């Protein structure tokens, strides 16, 4: 924060501001005006910064007399009786321009207005500081300026002709005055300055005439003592209008120039008459190809002076000459120089006839020809300006030539009978021998869909070939041509081919070709001369649905586990072209199997190229236990050796028919499923059950979890050596069974243990306690180990033949394990840390309080005691 100024300094600054004086100012020197003009005298007060308006009084004094009140801004009765009538008529008035400035206006100045004028401002100050009035002298002269025109009006001119305008101006004033002159052009409602001569003798052209002034086209000269001449060397269209001569009179007073009066006079009205110009060319012309084209451009004009024509020949494909892009054939400039190409010539027989000669015309020369003529007139300093121009009517030229005569035939060399068959069309040109060497033949291919008789038939472009052999594809065929499905080629000189490698049902319809002839032009380009259409060829075949039937049978009866299962599949098809078959053997679990009801399992497959592949057959010990082979083209045989009880189910053949496409490629035509063949083992073997038991269903975090999977056997008693089990443990981490089970650990019948990886610290162990009991232990349990635990068991039973038979997989009911948190151990360390921190903070607070009371409050207590003693002493007194 800044410091305040001392009080004596503020008083000194305030005194200085109050003592500063004001000054009233009017123009210095004397003002000169002519009788009948307007007088304006400004007056302002300097160093005035008040918020209200300053009042002004004006007084007048003729030469040698006292001042008489003239006008006031604040007192109505201030003016003298002599000036009140002129104030009422508005001849004398005051116009305020600011709070501290005013102007005195006197209209129609008279000789009696010559004298001294005083501007004063009333003062209410206690002491006079400054100048409160100022005086200016005004001189009034008689009107001695004479301006006259010496030019006939109107003045008719043609473009490019020169003209002069004159006016006289003289002043007989007793004082030394200067004249200034301005030539002004008024056209319609616009005015523009042409050329001015200032009172100091300087010439200033108007903004639109600067270039013409500097080139000498526009000049201002003096003629005699009082004559002024405006000279224009060449008239333009913009020079038309009324010209005024504006003269002003100036006087110099104490080094400053004042304009005392101004007069203007209309000198002449200039009318620019257009030049008559007409260009004509002969009408329609017909010329044979290879001959010469001769066109004449005739000019008609009313100008007989020194004008020069500029002739340009144009060519256009349309009769409208205003269309952008007309081609310039030849041009003859105003210097008689010809600009043309080698095969085009331009000449003139006389001054009004110009000939265009085109040699060796061709078809591209057919069109419309225009002749453009412009007249140029000479100007100042060897310059030229355009005075007129005209474009002739179009002359149509038709170049005739002998068209080639040929015929086009289209036939289908290969017609499709099925989808994906090959289609080949040949477009042949007949009678090509009569064509010249400068003629080129191309082809375009079109497709038209089959429609009803009352529908509008539209054609779609497949491909088109230009005269330079460039092939362009249509939207319908672009992608398929890039993929190689559509092939366009030229087999011979007179034959064009179109091939569809894989014909689809969408390709059915009508096809036709268009053969075009192209003629070579002079610039080596090619122009189409003729199109011939072929008759359409109809591509169609009756489309019927593909039929595929598969029948499965079991040649030999099947009765017990361990035997060989055999199934054959017989295939028959209809409306499928050259079919090949792929076979997939699939098995479905019977409905009564609660372990995985209605589960479909893919076992083995054989593709259309007779390649065999195992699908979902995961029994590593029986990799060679399934065989699928091709007996005939339409018959397949499936065998499964050493069948087991777990192989029970419904077996089917899924057959897919394939049709050949473009040689080595195949397309899926149809798929069918055979009738089922059932494998059902009629046996009275043992029944296995699984259950889960735990002594610790609820544990504290870190304790050991023990889970027992107990397998019980019902029915036929078995030797423990004839039984083996695959055991797997699963957990679902939720109170319900709404989440996917997670595999924890597994132990197969050979005693190999596999434990899944987990992200927390607890460990798992799985062991066989006895033949029917398996123990899963969770060491160092964590919170994440809660959930529903269950085991799955796959029994293996040794058959009388000594082979192991895999039984159906069984599942136990789940048991829920809860992992609790040890509250005392969990909060032991946080409680100890909290008590310690609280003790430290309490001791620190007591220490701070003691220090504060000892050092900060001691002085205040002493002062209070002194005050008490002083009061006691005063009472005693």
């Amino acid at each position: 924060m800044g410091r305040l100024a001392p009080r004596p300094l503020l008083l000194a600054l305030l005194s200085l501001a109050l003592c500063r004086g004001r000054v009233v100012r009017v123009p210095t020197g004397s003002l000169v005006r002519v009788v009948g003009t307007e007088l304006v005298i400004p007056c302002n007060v300097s160093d005035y910064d008040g918020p209200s308006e300053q009042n002004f009084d004006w007084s007048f004094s003729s030469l040698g007399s006292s001042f008489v009140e003239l006008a006031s801004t604040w007192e109505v009765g201030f003016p003298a009786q002599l000036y009140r009538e002129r104030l009422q008529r508005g001849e004398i008035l005051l116009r305020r321009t600011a709070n501290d400035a005013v102007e005195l206006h006197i209209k129609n100045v008279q000789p009696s207005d010559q004298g001294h004028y005083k501007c004063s401002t009333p003062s209410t100050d206690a002491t006079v500081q400054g100048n409160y009035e100022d005086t200016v002298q005004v001189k009034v002269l008689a009107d001695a300026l004479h301006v006259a025109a010496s030019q006939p009006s109107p003045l008719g001119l043609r473009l490019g002709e020169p003209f002069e305008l004159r006016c006289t101006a003289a002043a007989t004033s007793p004082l030394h005055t200067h004249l200034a002159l301005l030539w002004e052009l008024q056209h319609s409602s616009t005015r523009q300055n042409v050329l001015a001569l200032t009172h100091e003798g300087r010439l200033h052209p108007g903004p639109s005439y600067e270039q013409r002034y500097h080139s000498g086209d526009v000049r201002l000269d003096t003629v005699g003592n009082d004559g002024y001449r405006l000279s224009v060397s060449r008239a333009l269209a913009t020079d038309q209008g009324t010209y005024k001569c504006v003269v002003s009179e100036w006087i110099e007073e104490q080094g400053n120039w004042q304009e005392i009066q101004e007069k203007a006079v209309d000198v002449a009205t200039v009318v620019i008459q257009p030049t008559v110009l007409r260009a004509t060319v002969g009408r329609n012309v017909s010329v044979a190809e290879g001959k010469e084209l001769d066109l004449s451009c005739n000019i008609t004009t009313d100008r007989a002076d020194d004008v020069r024509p500029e002739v340009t020949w144009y060519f256009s494909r349309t009769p409208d000459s205003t269309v952008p892009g007309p081609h310039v054939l030849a041009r003859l400039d105003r210097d008689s120089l010809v600009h043309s190409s080698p095969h085009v010539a331009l000449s003139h027989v006389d001054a009004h006839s110009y000939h265009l000669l085109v040699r060796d015309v061709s078809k591209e020369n057919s069109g419309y020809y225009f002749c453009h003529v412009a007249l140029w007139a000479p100007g100042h300093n060897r310059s030229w300006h355009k005075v007129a121009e005209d474009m002739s009517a179009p002359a149509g030229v038709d170049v005739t030539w002998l068209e080639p005569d040929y015929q086009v035939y289209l036939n289908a060399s290969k017609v499709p009978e099925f989808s994906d068959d090959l289609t080949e069309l040949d477009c042949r040109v007949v009678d090509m021998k009569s064509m010249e060497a400068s003629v080129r033949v191309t082809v375009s291919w079109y497709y038209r869909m089959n429609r009803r008789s009352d529908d509008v038939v539209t054609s779609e472009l497949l491909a088109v070939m230009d005269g330079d052999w460039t092939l362009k594809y249509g939207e319908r065929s672009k992608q398929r041509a890039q993929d190689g499905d559509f092939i366009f080629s030229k087999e011979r000189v007179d034959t064009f081919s179109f091939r569809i490698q894989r014909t689809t049902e969408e390709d059915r319809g009508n096809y036709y070709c268009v053969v075009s002839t192209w003629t070579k032009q002079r610039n080596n380009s090619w122009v189409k001369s003729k199109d011939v259409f072929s008759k359409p060829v109809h591509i169609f075949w009756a489309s019927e649905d593909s039929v595929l039937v598969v029948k499965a049978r079991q040649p030999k009866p099947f009765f017990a586990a361990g035997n060989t299962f055999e199934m054959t599949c017989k295939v028959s098809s209809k409306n499928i072209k050259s079919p090949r078959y792929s076979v997939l053997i699939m098995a479905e679990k019977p409905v009564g199997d609660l372990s995985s009801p209605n589960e479909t399992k893919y076992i083995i497959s054989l593709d259309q190229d007779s390649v065999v592949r195992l699908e979902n057959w995961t029994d590593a010990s029986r990799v060679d236990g399934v065989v699928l082979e091709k007996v005939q083209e339409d018959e397949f045989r499936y065998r499964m050796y050493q069948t087991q009880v777990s192989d029970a189910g419904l077996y089917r053949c899924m057959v897919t028919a394939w049709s050949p496409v473009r040689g080595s490629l195949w397309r899926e035509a149809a798929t069918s499923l055979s009738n089922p063949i059932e494998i059902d083992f009629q046996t009275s073997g043992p029944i296995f059950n699984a259950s889960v038991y735990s002594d610790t269903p609820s544990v504290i975090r870190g304790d050991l979890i023990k889970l027992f999977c107990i397998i019980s056997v019902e029915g036929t008693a078995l030797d423990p050596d004839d039984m083996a089990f695959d055991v797997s443990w699963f957990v679902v981490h939720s109170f319900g069974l709404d989440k996917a089970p997670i595999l924890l650990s597994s132990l197969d019948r050979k005693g190999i243990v596999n434990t899944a990886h987990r992200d927390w610290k607890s460990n798992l162990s799985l062991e066989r306690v006895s033949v029917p009991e398996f123990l899963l232990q969770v060491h160092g349990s964590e919170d994440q180990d809660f959930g529903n635990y269950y085991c799955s068991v796959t029994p293996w039973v040794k058959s009388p033949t000594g082979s192991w038979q895999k039984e159906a997989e069984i599942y136990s009911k789940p048991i829920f394990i809860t992992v609790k948190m040890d509250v005392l151990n969990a909060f032991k360390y946080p409680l100890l840390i909290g008590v310690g921190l609280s003790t430290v903070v309490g001791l620190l607070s007591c220490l701070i309080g003691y220090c504060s009371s000892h050092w900060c409050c001691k002085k205040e207590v002493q002062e209070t005691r002194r005050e008490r003693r002083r009061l006691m002493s005063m009472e005693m007194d």
Side-chain angles (χ1 to χ4, degrees), residues 359-375:
R359 305 180 183 90
D360 190 18
V361 295
S362 61
K363 191 65 177 179
E364 66 178 358
N365 298 123
S366 296
Y368 297 90
Y369 291 77
F370 303 87
C371 175
H372 178 270
V373 179
L375 295 182

Side-chain angles (χ1 to χ4, degrees), residues 616-659:
N616 295 332
W617 184 259
T618 57
D619 193 347
S621 61
R622 300 169 60 201
V623 174
D624 299 330
V626 290
V627 176
L628 178 60
E629 57 185 350
K630 184 177 182 181
V631 181
Q632 296 178 3
E633 285 294 331
D634 57 351
E635 186 176 356
F636 301 88
R637 181 171 55 203
Y638 169 67
R639 288 178 179 176
M640 180 168 56
Y641 301 99
Q642 295 183 355
T643 57
Q644 299 181 2
V645 177
S646 60
D647 296 331
L650 300 177
Y651 287 76
R652 301 175 185 267
C653 293
M654 179 184 289
V655 179
T656 301
W658 301 83
S659 294

Side-chain angles (χ1 to χ4, degrees), residues 34-74:
V34 178
V35 174
T37 60
E38 182 179 3
L39 172 65
V40 179
I41 306 176
C43 177
N44 67 307
V45 179
S46 61
D47 297 333
Y48 175 75
D49 54 0
S52 60
E53 295 180 345
Q54 179 68 45
N55 295 318
F56 294 89
D57 293 334
W58 284 89
S59 303
F60 170 71
S61 171
S62 60
L63 298 178
S65 62
S66 60
F67 283 93
V68 179
E69 292 80 1
L70 181 60
S72 176
T73 60
W74 67 291

Side-chain angles (χ1 to χ4, degrees), residues 223-257:
V223 182
N225 296 329
D226 57 354
Y228 297 89
R229 180 177 58 199
L230 176 66
S231 301
V232 180
S233 62
R234 55 186 178 92
L236 302 180
T238 56
D239 294 332
Q240 180 170 292
T242 301
Y243 286 81
K244 286 187 176 183
C245 180
V246 183
V247 181
S248 57
E249 187 175 7
W250 296 71
I251 190 171
E252 185 179 15
E253 287 289 336
Q254 297 183 0
N256 296 324
W257 287 94

Side-chain angles (χ1 to χ4, degrees), residues 23-43:
V23 179
V24 178
R25 299 183 186 276
V26 295
T28 59
S30 60
L31 300 178
V32 181
R33 291 295 181 269
V34 178
V35 174
T37 60
E38 182 179 3
L39 172 65
V40 179
I41 306 176
C43 177

Side-chain angles (χ1 to χ4, degrees), residues 457-477:
V457 179
T458 58
S459 298
E460 297 183 54
L461 176 66
L462 298 178
V464 59
M465 185 181 295
D466 293 337
D468 55 356
W469 304 116
T470 301
L471 184 64
K472 298 179 181 178
Y473 300 111
E475 292 297 328
R476 180 182 179 86
S477 61

